[in-house]
Amino acid sequence: MSNPQQLRYSKEHEWLSAVEDGVATIGITEHAANALGDVVYVQLPEVGGTVTAGETCGELESTKSVSDLYSPVTGEVTAANQDVADDPSLVNSAPFEGGWLFKVRVAEEPKDLLSADEYTEFSGN
């Protein structure tokens, strides 16, 4: 598996796109999606709400388990991916494309996000 080089990664297995006009897109990594198994339900943060880096902001339920969703950044949620809410399998089939989860107007980006190479080493993939 290949982690896109242009993204940043958290140790909780979320990815973060580059911040454009103050907004970043967030999803879970292919490694996390594979570990979860077939995702059957996604609870995303509400648009207009705030998320805090490192804190729970949603939930992913799979045929294997339930996993908390953590935000890699602090900020205001500007969008939630309704396509993923309607078809949670997108998290497995396209974690870096159509399976993105939510967008955040970033107030503060943590310094401990990993590069693609660092995340690959950290996750063992």
Side-chain angles (χ1 to χ4, degrees), residues 42 44-45 47 79-90 98-103:
V42 177
L44 300 173
V47 173
N81 189 346
Q82 187 60 45
D83 291 341
V84 165
D86 294 340
D87 181 7
S89 69
L90 287 170
W100 63 273
L101 300 176
F102 61 100
K103 295 185 181 200

Side-chain angles (χ1 to χ4, degrees), residues 28 36 38-45 57-62 67 69 80-92 99-102:
I28 67 165
L36 277 171
D38 295 332
V39 176
V40 296
Y41 173 76
V42 177
Q43 176 193 9
L44 300 173
C57 64
E59 188 175 89
L60 301 170
E61 185 176 324
S62 73
S67 179
L69 173 63
N81 189 346
Q82 187 60 45
D83 291 341
V84 165
D86 294 340
D87 181 7
S89 69
L90 287 170
V91 171
N92 297 103
W100 63 273
L101 300 176
F102 61 100

Side-chain angles (χ1 to χ4, degrees), residues 93-115:
S93 63
F96 297 115
E97 295 89 25
W100 63 273
L101 300 176
F102 61 100
K103 295 185 181 200
V104 174
R105 180 163 310 284
V106 178
E108 182 180 341
E109 188 174 330
K111 307 282 187 250
D112 61 349
L113 293 176
L114 306 172
S115 69

